Amino acid sequence: MGSAKSALLILLLVMVIASCARAIDMSVVTYDDNHHVTAGPGHHQTAGPGRRNGVFDVEASLIFEPWIVKHGKVYDSVAEKERRLTIFKDNLRFITNRNAENLGYRLGLNRFADLSLHEYKEVCHGADPKPPRNHVFMSSSDRYKTSAGDVLPKSIDWRNEGAVTEVKDQGHCRSCWAFSTVGAVEGLNKIVTGELVTLSEQDLINCNKENNGCGGGKVETAYEFIVNNGGLGTDNDYPYKAVNGACDGRLKENNKKVMIDGYENLPANDEFALMKAVAHQPVTAVIDSSSRDFQLYESGVFDGTCGTNLNHGVVVVGYGTENGHDYWIVRNSWGNTWGEAGYMKMARNIVNPRGLCGIAMRASYPLKNSFTNGKSSMA
């Protein structure tokens, strides 16, 4: 009798182990330590309807907890956390299915993976879609207009030239207009003076009243403010707070500033002119970043869904070619956990003259003809 019971227990144990093995084999997706999504053993990357949905939901719930820790997420209630998990699962399904298409770029569980597309747009888009009507200092220029005799480098990366500061994070302040303006000024100041100085977006947010601080703004108006107000303070003197604040005039008067002499807009809808400009200096561009692919971008040359409803300011800091695909090096202001350590390789030389995401529609750059920095040297 005892031996019969033992045999029965052994049989049940074998059945449980086999069942678990089948469940493991049914795994739809797996993850590395950085939450990069990959296919489960012996499976394609799909997460559509079917018998694997239950397993997928369990796996998504398991990966959600360490993802929360990695990105420092804090939710106000259990209900809010459940809502975020639901959105997270939906985004994970989208990522898994999109990556299964073997595109030239990959999506991943970045900091925006718990946001719906609508929420992402509300948080991240701060560039006014239209330039100001009256451009006091802006002038249209043929400075970087292309001609038959142009010889441009095959690639350029201003990061390698020491003309780009570390990737910054605008947080929940819709201040991309300030970050894109400041990034181009920092780069040009390095090229002209030889010194890379980290400048203050908060100076623009608090003091540039023609723009709306964390409510959004225009890069052209930001350039005009820098010219009108004798330069821009450093981040050390005027650190970023990610909220609107009062302009501190005394702080601005008593500290070092970096000046520019003006700014110009590139000819619209001309990627070759943009290429020529970027070969000489980092350039501000206003793009459309409203697609879900853009939200969840992780790596590779992005040529995904993108419109031309300009809503987000970035800095173009270079260009190159990867596996036969031309790209722009786009510096974002969403921290170093988005994209390729804060950057995107965006497809270049596409059929549409506006460029992917409208990158060639509204690009501009600062002018600096001499060592026009306040308080003598910036050393």
Side-chain angles (χ1 to χ4, degrees), residues 7-68:
L8 181 59
L9 287 173
I10 292 171
L11 178 61
L12 288 173
L13 182 59
V14 169
M15 292 174 64
V16 168
I17 292 172
S19 177
C20 290
R22 283 194 299 271
I24 292 171
D25 184 59
M26 285 172 60
S27 178
V28 180
V29 291
T30 59
Y31 315 88
D32 63 19
D33 290 339
N34 294 316
H35 300 163
H36 301 302
V37 183
T38 60
H43 294 287
H44 298 293
Q45 280 189 333
T46 58
R51 63 190 180 92
R52 294 179 182 152
N53 271 356
V55 175
F56 182 90
D57 285 346
V58 170
E59 290 182 332
S61 298
L62 290 174
I63 199 62
F64 186 55
E65 293 299 331
W67 179 89
I68 289 174

Side-chain angles (χ1 to χ4, degrees), residues 106-361:
R106 293 184 62 79
L107 306 184
L109 294 171
N110 61 33
R111 60 185 291 183
F112 302 128
D114 66 341
L115 297 181
S116 68
L117 183 59
H118 173 75
E119 290 169 331
Y120 155 75
K121 292 178 183 179
E122 288 294 312
V123 170
C124 297
H125 296 164
D128 194 302
K130 295 181 180 179
R133 293 182 179 179
N134 299 316
H135 298 277
V136 178
F137 289 94
M138 188 280 293
S139 59
S140 296
S141 173
D142 291 336
R143 182 186 307 268
Y144 293 126
K145 185 177 180 179
T146 56
S147 61
D150 286 338
V151 179
L152 299 176
K154 292 183 178 179
S155 64
I156 184 75
D157 187 341
W158 285 108
R159 295 173 296 184
N160 296 337
E161 305 302 320
V164 182
T165 59
E166 291 187 5
V167 169
K168 303 177 183 181
D169 188 351
Q170 68 187 65
H172 282 77
C173 173
R174 298 171 64 198
S175 51
C176 60
W177 59 274
F179 281 86
S180 54
T181 303
V182 167
V185 174
E186 289 171 338
L188 181 61
N189 185 66
K190 162 64 177 178
I191 293 167
V192 174
T193 71
E195 296 177 278
L196 181 64
V197 182
T198 303
L199 299 176
S200 172
E201 291 81 12
Q202 197 66 42
D203 191 348
L204 287 174
I205 291 168
N206 288 1
C207 302
N208 181 196
K209 300 304 181 184
E210 295 300 313
N211 278 318
N212 298 314
C214 288
K218 305 176 189 290
V219 296
E220 298 87 353
T221 305
Y223 280 131
E224 290 173 7
F225 170 83
I226 297 171
V227 176
N228 268 326
N229 289 269
L232 196 61
T234 69
D235 186 64
N236 281 339
D237 294 332
Y238 217 141
Y240 187 63
K241 303 296 185 183
V243 293
N244 293 333
C247 183
D248 189 336
R250 289 178 300 175
L251 185 152
K252 288 174 64 65
E253 290 175 4
N254 297 328
N255 289 294
K256 301 172 183 178
K257 295 183 288 291
V258 165
M259 298 178 176
I260 59 173
D261 298 315
Y263 76 99
E264 294 174 341
N265 275 357
L266 278 168
N269 306 326
D270 188 343
E271 280 201 278
F272 295 107
L274 178 57
M275 181 179 177
K276 187 173 182 178
V278 174
H280 289 82
Q281 65 184 98
V283 172
T284 298
V286 184
I287 63 171
D288 183 348
S289 65
S290 57
S291 75
R292 199 174 184 186
D293 285 48
F294 201 107
Q295 172 188 353
L296 300 168
Y297 169 79
E298 180 179 87
S299 63
V301 179
F302 179 77
D303 60 356
T305 303
C306 223
T308 54
N309 179 28
L310 307 183
N311 49 41
H312 183 56
V314 295
V315 189
V316 187
V317 300
Y319 59 82
T321 303
E322 180 176 282
N323 299 323
H325 299 288
D326 296 337
Y327 63 82
W328 300 108
I329 304 173
V330 175
R331 182 196 192 216
N332 211 336
S333 52
W334 295 342
N336 60 14
T337 62
W338 178 89
E340 296 189 352
Y343 291 85
M344 168 184 273
K345 294 190 188 96
M346 181 181 290
R348 176 170 61 91
N349 292 335
I350 69 168
V351 174
N352 190 334
R354 296 177 175 181
L356 190 68
C357 305
I359 196 170
M361 292 175 64

